[in-house]
């Protein structure tokens, strides 16, 4: 049956239609899912690369024996580190294990609780998470025991720089990127602190000589009188 002229085509009691895929809410959720996917992908790549390289150097390198790749600038040197990144704080393995667990949990909670839409922040958090999990895996599964394991370090730059691994490099790169994003004012939701939201545009004013359409019926009635 055809609806009367001017009547709505849908019943007022009908339920609202779901948001279209292009609606703002659906678009924001899609961006957030993609950014979380980037975070997880970066963290998984760092964790896999760190584990694979450590397994290779443990099999093929001897403890404390340097392999010179580029003179005394870049060397391979297998060491066991019970401290933090770059062999800092050796002997406090359990403390650094607890810190790594807290950092990993904080990153996961931050990515889930906040509106993560920034690609830069997704990469930075992924680097930090992957690096933390890479060294945490060593502390859990390597000798001398659970949560007391020594981290495998094998990259040495000159004789004046501490030996490190790919997980340490990811943590440093993630930290530098985090400082850079915060300094530039970028937030996790993709907005920038020094760029306020644009103000709504003022309503358009009628052109000179044009009268308001709402006054037309009244004027016509006055003429007929």
């Amino acid at each position: 049956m055809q609806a009367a002229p001017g009547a709505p085509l849908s019943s007022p009691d009908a339920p609202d239609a779901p948001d279209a895929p292009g609606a703002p809410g659906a678009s924001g959720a899609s961006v957030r899912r993609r950014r979380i996917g980037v975070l997880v992908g970066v963290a998984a790549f760092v964790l896999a690369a760190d584990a694979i390289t450590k397994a290779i150097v443990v099999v093929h390198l001897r403890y404390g024996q340097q392999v010179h790749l580029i003179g005394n600038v870049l060397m391979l040197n297998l060491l066991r580190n019970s401290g933090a990144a770059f062999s800092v704080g050796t002997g406090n393995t359990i403390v650094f294990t607890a810190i790594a667990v807290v950092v990993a949990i904080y990153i996961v909670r931050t990515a889930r609780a906040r509106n993560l839409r920034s690609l830069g922040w997704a990469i930075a958090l992924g680097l930090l998470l992957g690096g933390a999990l890479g060294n945490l895996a060593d502390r859990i599964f390597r000798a001398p025991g659970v949560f007391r394991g020594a981290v495998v370090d094998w990259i040495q730059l000159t004789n004046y720089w501490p030996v490190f691994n790919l997980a340490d490099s990811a943590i440093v790169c993630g930290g530098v990127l985090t400082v850079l994003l915060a300094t530039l004012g970028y937030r996790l939701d993709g907005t920038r602190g020094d760029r306020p939201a644009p103000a709504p545009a003022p309503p358009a004013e009628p052109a000179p000589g044009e009268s308001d359409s709402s006054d037309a019926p009244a004027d016509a009635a006055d003429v007929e009188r």
Side-chain angles (χ1 to χ4, degrees):
M1 180 181 295
Q2 185 176 1
L9 297 179
S10 59
S11 172
D13 298 332
D16 296 335
D19 293 337
S27 177
S30 176
V31 172
R32 181 174 179 271
R33 285 193 297 268
R34 290 198 299 268
R35 295 299 177 257
I36 292 179
V38 171
L39 187 156
V40 174
V42 171
F45 175 79
V46 171
L47 180 59
D50 182 66
I52 292 172
T53 52
K54 286 175 178 176
I56 293 174
V57 299
V58 167
V59 172
H60 295 283
L61 295 182
R62 293 183 180 180
Y63 182 82
Q65 181 180 3
Q66 292 181 341
V67 177
H68 297 263
L69 298 180
I70 306 178
N72 290 326
V73 177
L74 176 61
M75 296 164 284
L76 305 182
N77 188 7
L78 176 60
L79 296 178
R80 304 280 183 169
N81 173 23
S82 59
F86 301 102
S87 303
V88 177
T90 57
N92 297 318
T93 309
I94 296 181
V95 175
F96 292 116
T97 301
I99 294 175
V101 172
V102 172
V103 169
I105 293 176
Y106 176 78
I107 293 174
V108 173
R109 288 177 60 89
T110 299
R112 294 185 59 184
R114 298 192 180 184
N115 192 12
L116 179 61
R117 297 188 184 183
S118 169
L119 179 60
W121 276 106
I123 295 174
L125 294 178
L127 290 171
L128 293 173
L129 180 60
L133 293 178
N135 286 335
L136 180 61
D138 281 3
R139 301 186 191 281
I140 295 176
F141 299 110
R142 294 190 183 274
V146 179
F147 297 114
R148 296 182 296 109
V151 175
V152 174
D153 290 335
W154 56 277
I155 305 173
Q156 184 173 1
L157 297 176
T158 74
N159 291 318
Y160 307 99
W161 191 261
V163 184
F164 58 98
N165 54 46
L166 291 185
D168 298 334
S169 301
I171 292 174
V172 172
C173 293
V176 171
L177 183 55
T178 297
V179 173
L180 181 62
L181 291 171
T183 302
L184 296 177
Y186 288 101
R187 301 190 180 97
L188 272 75
D189 60 0
T191 60
R192 194 169 180 180
D194 58 353
R195 295 182 181 177
E205 297 181 357
E210 293 184 359
S211 59
D212 191 354
S213 60
S214 61
D215 297 337
D219 296 340
D222 293 340
V223 171
E224 292 179 358
R225 290 175 186 175

